[in-house]
Amino acid sequence: MTIVADNVSTETRRAQLRSDVNLAARVIPTHYPLETFIAVNPLAGLESMPFEQAVRRAGDLYGSAGVLDETTFRALYRSGRITDADLESTLRLRYPTLLDGEPVRMGTRVLTPSQLLRGDLLHGSLAPKPLRRNMTQSEQVAPQVAGQVDAQAARWCAAFFGSPAAGWPMPDHHLGFYRAWRTLAPGDHKLSRRVRASLRKAPTRADDAALQALHQLGVADDDRIIYLQAHLTRLPGWAAHVRWSAERGTGVDLLDYLAMRLTYEAVLLSHNTFSVPDEPVAATRPRIPSARERAAALDENGGSTR
């Protein structure tokens, strides 16, 4: 009876992991092979959100900007590419009620809401740059290891997805991505002997390997979806292509990909020889200046509206 209960528990944990992978993958679009030249919306996984919210969410996920920064927009204004009429019409569209409000006094000057908002756009405090909020453990405590994990993931993906016309295809390709990787990875002599020995002990199933690595990394079940997203968004291009390939039965899916990444992270961190930062890398959202702070900064600039 105990053996049956253990088997049920294992199957349940595997099923829950697959469900978590599917949920984590919702933020990832699907990328076709480059030779197809099909445009893909990079925010495809966030299409249920309003555009501004989706761009901000993408900034949290990837740590990259989805639009031009304010410095670039201001340079375009100075060059005449963006005009006062453009700013006025945009502000009217965005804040139709606010622009009809009462003038605001700033020191000795009285400004209309339109002048104040335009001055803030052109001379106010710059918004903070996007920062990845959800980071892998290696990103936080050993960035060099995070770089190693990315390099290994890109290397094995490139090998597996190589052109069918290549004269030297990836060995054991027919076994599928995870099984082929598990067979070949311990032979990578660029890795230390201890790391290679640990890779030889990787479970035969991708789901078991991912569960084992998550346990070694100390990732709680409640934090698992966010942690899986952190790995998927490290190399979003490869993750998106894996997702596309999985839908076509090519021998790889996101669980295979994540099992490889998580195994590398757990093993490399356990044998990490790099120096560890005194403090983990912060993963908090950059603070946005309040309206009062932006107004004060504008006042220090002389309340300029041009």
Side-chain angles (χ1 to χ4, degrees):
M1 294 296 293
T2 302
I3 295 176
V4 173
D6 287 344
N7 288 339
V8 171
S9 176
T10 298
E11 290 302 321
T12 299
R13 292 175 66 239
R14 290 169 175 168
Q16 184 59 56
L17 174 63
R18 288 190 174 275
S19 175
D20 288 347
V21 170
N22 289 334
L23 291 173
R26 289 183 176 181
V27 300
I28 299 294
T30 55
H31 283 187
Y32 295 79
L34 290 178
E35 61 265 20
T36 59
F37 290 101
I38 296 177
V40 175
N41 178 11
L43 300 178
L46 308 171
E47 288 176 332
S48 61
M49 301 179 180
F51 178 74
E52 292 181 16
Q53 185 178 346
V55 169
R56 187 172 184 181
R57 174 63 173 148
D60 290 342
L61 289 169
Y62 304 114
S64 57
V67 296
L68 299 177
D69 59 26
E70 289 164 302
T71 301
T72 302
F73 278 121
R74 290 172 182 179
L76 291 171
Y77 174 82
R78 290 193 297 270
S79 70
R81 178 64 178 81
I82 297 176
T83 66
D84 287 328
D86 294 330
L87 295 180
E88 186 70 25
S89 62
T90 301
L91 290 172
R92 176 65 62 179
L93 181 65
R94 179 69 183 273
Y95 305 109
T97 304
L98 183 60
L99 293 193
D100 295 328
E102 296 295 324
V104 178
R105 178 176 294 278
M106 294 187 63
T108 60
R109 301 188 62 188
V110 177
L111 303 175
T112 66
S114 176
Q115 290 175 318
L116 182 60
L117 290 172
R118 189 165 64 243
D120 183 51
L121 286 175
L122 298 176
H123 306 287
S125 303
L126 297 176
K129 294 182 179 180
L131 177 69
R132 271 172 64 87
R133 295 188 66 195
N134 304 328
M135 295 193 291
T136 65
Q137 191 175 127
S138 55
E139 279 184 271
Q140 298 178 60
V141 302
Q144 300 94 330
V145 170
Q148 277 189 302
V149 173
D150 287 346
Q152 291 289 347
R155 174 189 178 192
W156 288 107
C157 284
F160 187 82
F161 292 114
S163 171
W168 192 357
M170 178 180 178
D172 296 322
H173 186 281
H174 64 284
L175 297 177
F177 181 82
Y178 177 77
R179 291 179 62 191
W181 168 79
R182 180 179 176 273
T183 301
L184 299 170
D188 182 1
H189 288 278
K190 292 183 179 180
L191 300 173
S192 71
R193 184 174 299 178
R194 291 191 303 166
V195 169
R196 298 201 307 271
S198 295
L199 291 177
R200 290 190 188 95
K201 300 176 183 177
T204 57
R205 292 176 55 117
D207 45 12
D208 291 341
L211 287 169
Q212 175 178 286
L214 287 165
H215 176 73
Q216 292 174 344
L217 292 167
V219 179
D221 289 351
D222 291 343
D223 300 327
R224 194 158 61 191
I225 294 175
I226 291 176
Y227 200 78
L228 295 175
Q229 284 183 345
H231 267 281
L232 290 175
T233 53
R234 279 289 295 183
L235 295 177
W238 278 123
H241 186 56
V242 169
R243 185 180 183 186
W244 178 87
S245 300
E247 296 171 354
R248 287 151 181 81
T250 58
V252 62
D253 60 21
L254 285 174
L255 181 53
D256 294 335
Y257 175 75
L258 286 166
M260 172 196 63
R261 286 190 59 95
L262 291 165
T263 298
Y264 270 128
E265 183 178 37
V267 170
L268 290 172
L269 280 177
S270 67
H271 299 296
N272 179 34
T273 58
F274 295 109
S275 59
V276 177
D278 294 333
E279 295 291 337
V281 178
T284 55
R285 185 195 296 272
R287 181 177 177 276
I288 298 176
S290 66
R292 184 181 296 276
E293 290 169 335
R294 295 181 72 89
L298 186 60
D299 187 37
E300 291 176 1
N301 193 49
S304 177
T305 61
R306 294 191 60 81

